[in-house]
Amino acid sequence: MPSRAVIAGVTGLIGSSLSERLIAKGWEVYGIARKPQSGISGVRPVAADFLDPEGLRSALADINPTHVFFTTWVRRNTEEENIAANGA
């Protein structure tokens, strides 16, 4: 079974570096975003929102990732809101 990664934040500094390393090692890499971009060679974009569990489950249904990497966070107006959103 091939290693299959789902990366949240794949277009950011850490996510893009991680994706390039994994692709170079033969991994299948999927990048999740609410409005995905396919700017990184070898990354398969997936439209999904981590704050929508049913939509996320549906978007990942056929992918069956072996690994999930969170390299991003959601910014809200207050620290309390940041904790609630990113803790979800």
Side-chain angles (χ1 to χ4, degrees):
M1 177 177 192
S3 294
R4 188 172 297 127
V6 168
I7 302 175
V10 73
T11 59
L13 182 63
I14 295 169
S16 62
S17 178
L18 174 62
S19 68
E20 290 169 1
R21 289 175 183 258
L22 295 177
I23 290 167
K25 293 183 180 226
W27 287 50
E28 291 179 23
V29 176
Y30 295 82
I32 291 187
R34 288 177 297 236
K35 296 177 184 175
Q37 303 171 12
S38 59
I40 301 172
S41 180
V43 173
R44 298 169 179 137
V46 176
D49 184 340
F50 279 99
L51 298 178
D52 173 12
E54 287 303 314
L56 180 61
R57 195 172 289 114
S58 176
L60 296 176
D62 295 329
I63 295 175
N64 298 315
T66 58
H67 297 75
V68 177
F69 299 90
F70 290 89
T71 64
T72 190
W73 66 290
V74 176
R75 181 176 298 220
R76 299 289 190 227
N77 291 329
T78 68
E79 186 61 17
E80 185 174 293
E81 291 173 313
N82 285 336
I83 291 167
N86 291 290

